């Protein structure tokens, strides 16, 4: 007959047994608390990570919005436009009217108006655009023949701010802007056979003049090009 294994002996003292049971319970509670603390630590880390991503995302969104707003604010404004080929015969205060010939000639021409508002001219036209230097009359007049408006100004009379304001009132084509020596007024607008002298770039007649004479059908060659020929000095 096999021997009976000895029974596991426990303390017979009730107080000792209670202490052993309490120690085991404390160990279990300690482990539970450690697991809970680790979970809370991981949860807090995830929250911090989410917060960081939220902050980064918000900052990126603000930057994108700022870029979009800036693109609208700082984007070049579209050039002003006027009615082309639709002169109505409107009377504009101060506009002088002339009758000029339109032959192609070689050499300089003695023009009756300063600056010229038409007349005989060089066979090659001045390309329309903005110039920082005076231009040759004979080439600029050919641009007028094609329906362009020549905006001339006294460089000593207009400030940089005045020029910036003036440019906002010009169409993107069929216009020549250049300084001109010997003007009697700070600003002179010339179309074929029509001219208007002004004292200020804020004068509302600038728009009226362009509306009536820009690319007018009354120019000798209203549909001819205003590019593809020659650039004068100081072309921007």
């Amino acid at each position: 007959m096999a021997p009976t294994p000895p029974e596991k002996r426990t303390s017979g003292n009730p107080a000792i047994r209670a202490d052993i049971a309490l120690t085991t319970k404390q160990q279990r509670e300690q482990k539970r608390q450690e697991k809970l603390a680790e979970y809370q630590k991981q949860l807090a880390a995830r929250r911090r990570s989410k917060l960081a991503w939220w902050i980064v995302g918000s900052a990126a969104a603000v930057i994108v919005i700022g870029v979009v707003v800036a693109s609208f604010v700082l984007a070049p404004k579209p050039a002003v436009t006027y009615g082309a080929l639709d002169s109505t015969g409107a009377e504009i205060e101060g506009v002088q009217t002339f009758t000029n010939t339109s032959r192609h000639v070689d050499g300089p021409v003695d023009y009756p108006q300063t600056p010229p508002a038409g007349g005989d001219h060089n066979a090659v036209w001045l390309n329309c655009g903005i110039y920082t230097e005076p231009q040759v009359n004979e080439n600029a007049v050919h641009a007028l023949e094609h329906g362009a408006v020549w905006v001339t100004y006294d460089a000593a009379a207009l400030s940089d701010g005045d020029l910036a304001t003036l440019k906002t009132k010009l169409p993107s084509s069929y216009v020549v802007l250049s300084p001109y020596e010997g003007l009697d007024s700070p600003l002179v607008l010339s179309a074929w056979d029509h001219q208007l002298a002004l004292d200020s770039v804020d004068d509302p007649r600038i728009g009226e003049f362009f509306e009536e004479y820009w690319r007018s059908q009354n120019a000798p060659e209203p549909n001819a090009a205003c590019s593809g020929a020659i650039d004068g000095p100081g072309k921007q």
Side-chain angles (χ1 to χ4, degrees):
M1 185 174 180
T4 303
E7 296 179 2
K8 185 175 181 180
R9 299 184 61 186
T10 59
S11 174
N13 191 325
I16 294 176
R17 288 199 302 271
D19 289 341
I20 292 174
L22 181 60
T23 300
T24 301
K25 184 177 181 181
Q26 288 175 337
Q27 290 175 348
R28 292 175 179 171
E29 179 62 21
Q30 182 178 357
K31 291 181 179 180
R32 192 183 72 82
Q33 291 295 334
E34 289 175 353
K35 290 182 179 180
L36 179 60
E38 180 64 23
Y39 171 76
Q40 292 176 339
K41 182 179 179 181
Q42 294 177 358
L43 183 61
R46 287 196 294 268
R47 288 174 178 171
R48 287 195 299 271
S49 178
K50 290 181 179 180
L51 178 61
W53 278 110
W54 183 87
I55 293 174
V56 171
S58 298
V62 170
I63 292 173
V64 171
I65 293 173
V67 171
V68 172
V69 172
S71 67
F72 281 104
V73 173
L74 301 178
K77 293 181 173 52
V80 64
T81 59
Y82 299 97
L85 307 176
D86 64 351
S87 296
T88 63
E91 293 187 5
I92 302 172
E93 181 182 359
V95 170
Q96 293 181 287
T97 302
F98 314 100
T99 301
N100 288 297
T101 57
S102 59
R103 295 184 297 266
H104 290 177
V105 297
D106 295 326
V109 177
D110 185 15
Y111 289 103
Q113 299 94 39
T114 303
D120 297 343
H121 51 272
N122 192 277
V124 181
W125 63 90
L126 176 70
N127 289 333
C128 290
I130 295 175
Y131 294 89
T132 59
E133 298 181 29
Q135 301 303 305
V136 176
N137 284 337
E138 290 75 16
N139 300 115
V141 169
H142 196 152
L144 297 183
E145 184 183 38
H146 293 183
V149 172
W150 188 10
V151 181
T152 51
Y153 62 92
D154 182 349
L158 298 188
S159 66
D160 291 342
D162 291 333
L163 282 177
T165 298
L166 179 59
K167 290 175 183 178
T168 65
K169 302 180 179 183
L170 303 182
S172 60
S173 64
Y174 286 86
V175 62
V176 174
L177 173 66
S178 69
Y180 198 96
E181 297 178 357
L183 293 181
D184 292 331
S185 300
L187 181 65
V188 178
L189 278 59
S190 303
W192 189 270
D193 280 348
H194 298 86
Q195 193 167 80
L196 176 63
L198 299 170
D199 293 327
S200 171
V201 298
D202 295 316
D203 196 308
R205 288 176 293 173
I206 294 175
E208 295 175 7
F209 189 91
F210 271 96
E211 190 67 38
E212 181 64 22
Y213 301 112
W214 179 69
R215 302 197 65 183
S216 170
Q217 74 270 23
N218 295 323
E221 298 178 6
N223 295 316
C226 200
S227 60
I230 63 168
D231 288 336
K235 175 76 178 290
Q236 290 189 333

